[in-house]
Amino acid sequence: MAQTTETPPADTPDGRAPRSPRASGTPRTPRTPRTPRIHRAWFVAAVTFVTIIGAAAFASLPGLLIEPLHREFDWSRGTIGFAVSVNLALYGLTAPFAAALMDRFGIRRIVAVALSVIALGSVLTVWMTAAWQLVLFWGVLVGLGSGSMALAFAATVTNRWFVARRGLVTGILTAAGASGQLVFLPLLSWLVEHHGWRPAAVTVALAALAVVPFVWLLLRDHPADVGLAPYGGEYAEKPAPVTGAARRAVTVLFKAAKTGPFWLLAGTFAICGASTNGLVKTHFVPAAHDHGMPVTAAAGLLAVIGVFDVVGTIASGWFTDRFEARRLLAVYYALRGVSLLFLPMLLAPSVHPPMLFFIVFYGLDWVATVPPTIALCREHYGEDSAIVFGWVLASHQVGAAVIAFAGGVARDVFGSYDLVWYASGALCAAAALMALVIRRPRTETVSLAGA
């Protein structure tokens, strides 16, 4: 076998290995990011998952507070519903700016402050004596805190820390809300029924505060902060703080508001919020209790809805890749409307098979509208679709806020929620028709911010 001889490198005539930059004193080139055994991105995703589960505690509580607060303070259900509606509205209106806040001040700071504000608002309700304090503590403080770490939190973490497995991580973090609902609803309902509403409010505050140390110690704003590349991607320096994101969000809103599809999407999603968060999440438990069902049983049914919500959302994403989005929306809203029309006949003192069928059917449809709505935003608004969807999401929460208040008023006036269920069914029928009216864009989408 012939031997080969190595030719000395051109820059080292004596054949010695080149001196390292550190030894020669020359400026060091950007280091190749290390590849840990378990990538730090998965720990960041785990902290995000736990944080969203903790957030589900305060999202689960409003529906359980209506009856106890009505009995103790003699506040009308409309008054209590108004506080919930302020919470939902601020959640939605803050969400479009949440990403801008995180770009400007960092994910860790915004989430830690938001959780602290939520804990403060929740624990202050223990000492409240007037309805305006409920509006301030639960409506304003908890609403602003939860809105500051809304969907933008999961989306920002996924975009920064992951290149590969983004779809998987997005699905997991989306499922965290339903998982948290499953964990906290039975616990909180048991506390309310056996120990009163105050221990439940304190539990929510403690759940929010318990997550803060994990967020502060384990969460990082960008992979470059710890010298890593994002999972499945290449190393990149941390970008400078963005200062014009909020202005762009407002600019895109004004441009999108001049187009017909935006109002149709916002209108349908407002009805989506009205028929889910505003109606079922807020009023299902007191409505079932009106018919003699124990609070713990009603809360358990609501938690089961969260389980099938995960299944329905994943399936809807699969359908959206294969069928026309506007037709899917029409089918989803029509089926939801039919189910709500039957609900008054299903409420009873005990859980029976037809009620279980409603829970499964409604749960599969709960947020199935999200994937086709995002797809339609992308189809019409291109690179600005994420911002447009943020404003469409705001309309979702405003619709939820309106029905949360109106549902309480209807219960006070008519002594029953039946009219609310029928009206929501009719609204879903209108949403189905609105979805069919949305047309495909005739030309290629352009950036609204630069229009």
Side-chain angles (χ1 to χ4, degrees), residues 37-105:
R37 192 170 183 179
I38 300 178
H39 198 285
R40 179 71 174 265
W42 293 110
F43 292 102
V44 172
V47 173
T48 305
F49 185 88
V50 172
T51 303
I52 295 174
I53 286 182
F58 50 81
S60 303
L61 190 58
L64 304 176
L65 292 179
I66 293 178
E67 288 300 324
L69 294 178
H70 174 67
R71 288 195 304 267
E72 179 171 338
F73 297 104
D74 199 30
W75 296 337
S76 70
R77 293 173 179 81
T79 298
I80 302 169
F82 176 71
V84 177
S85 71
V86 171
N87 176 291
L88 293 171
L90 287 177
Y91 177 101
L93 295 173
T94 306
F97 300 96
L101 291 172
M102 291 178 185
D103 284 341
R104 181 66 180 88
F105 300 104

Side-chain angles (χ1 to χ4, degrees), residues 49 52-53 169-181 306 309-310 314:
F49 185 88
I52 295 174
I53 286 182
V169 175
T170 300
I172 292 173
L173 297 182
T174 301
S179 302
Q181 181 172 303
D309 165 24
V310 177
I314 296 173

Side-chain angles (χ1 to χ4, degrees), residues 28-35 227-229 235:
R28 185 177 180 180
T29 57
R31 60 175 175 171
T32 302
R34 64 185 184 277
T35 304
L228 291 174
Y235 181 83

Side-chain angles (χ1 to χ4, degrees), residues 87-416:
N87 176 291
L88 293 171
L90 287 177
Y91 177 101
L93 295 173
T94 306
F97 300 96
L101 291 172
M102 291 178 185
D103 284 341
R104 181 66 180 88
F105 300 104
I107 302 174
R108 187 171 57 161
R109 291 180 181 177
I110 295 301
V111 173
V113 170
L115 288 168
S116 301
V117 170
I118 290 165
L120 177 64
S122 183
V123 78
L124 285 176
T125 59
V126 173
W127 294 284
M128 67 183 176
T129 56
W132 67 266
Q133 294 170 337
L134 176 65
V135 175
L136 175 61
F137 300 153
W138 195 265
V140 177
L141 291 181
V142 176
L144 288 174
S146 58
S148 296
M149 49 170 288
L151 293 179
F153 177 37
T156 304
V157 168
T158 303
N159 290 340
R160 290 186 182 183
W161 280 90
F162 291 87
V163 174
R165 307 290 186 184
R166 275 182 177 173
L168 173 64
V169 175
T170 300
I172 292 173
L173 297 182
T174 301
S179 302
Q181 181 172 303
L182 177 64
V183 169
F184 282 103
L185 259 176
L187 171 64
L188 294 176
S189 64
W190 182 84
L191 285 173
V192 169
E193 188 167 5
H194 292 87
H195 300 284
W197 63 269
R198 287 180 175 84
V202 172
T203 300
V204 170
L206 292 177
L209 284 178
V211 181
V212 173
F214 294 96
V215 169
W216 195 256
L217 295 175
L218 301 178
L219 192 64
R220 290 295 181 269
D221 294 333
H222 196 277
D225 290 340
V226 289
L228 291 174
Y231 182 81
E234 297 180 355
Y235 181 83
E237 294 294 334
K238 183 178 179 179
V242 179
T243 58
R247 182 168 59 252
R248 184 184 177 212
V250 175
T251 301
V252 169
L253 169 64
F254 281 110
K255 298 293 185 180
K258 298 178 182 179
T259 65
F262 173 80
W263 292 107
L264 290 170
L265 290 168
T268 55
F269 222 44
I271 294 174
C272 178
S275 56
T276 53
N277 291 2
L279 178 62
V280 174
K281 183 173 281 189
T282 304
H283 294 292
F284 177 80
V285 172
H289 190 60
D290 283 348
H291 288 76
M293 184 180 293
V295 171
T296 50
L301 290 176
L302 201 58
V304 174
I305 287 178
V307 176
F308 287 94
D309 165 24
V310 177
V311 179
T313 304
I314 296 173
S316 179
W318 187 86
F319 288 137
T320 302
D321 289 334
R322 290 161 175 80
F323 301 100
E324 192 176 351
R326 66 189 187 98
R327 296 186 185 276
L328 286 176
L329 279 183
V331 171
Y332 294 157
Y333 284 121
L335 292 176
R336 183 185 298 178
V338 171
S339 67
L340 290 173
L341 291 176
F342 278 99
L343 182 57
M345 295 179 281
L346 302 177
L347 292 170
S350 60
V351 179
H352 49 86
M355 172 57 78
L356 290 176
F357 178 79
F358 167 83
I359 293 298
V360 173
F361 186 88
Y362 183 87
L364 291 171
D365 195 275
W366 179 279
V367 290
T369 55
V370 173
T373 300
I374 292 176
L376 286 170
C377 286
R378 187 184 305 116
E379 183 179 334
H380 285 271
Y381 302 107
E383 65 182 32
D384 293 312
S385 59
I387 298 176
V388 173
F389 178 72
W391 288 110
V392 171
L393 177 64
S395 73
H396 180 282
Q397 294 303 111
V398 171
V402 170
I403 204 69
F405 173 65
V409 171
R411 173 61 177 80
D412 291 331
V413 173
F414 301 105
S416 169

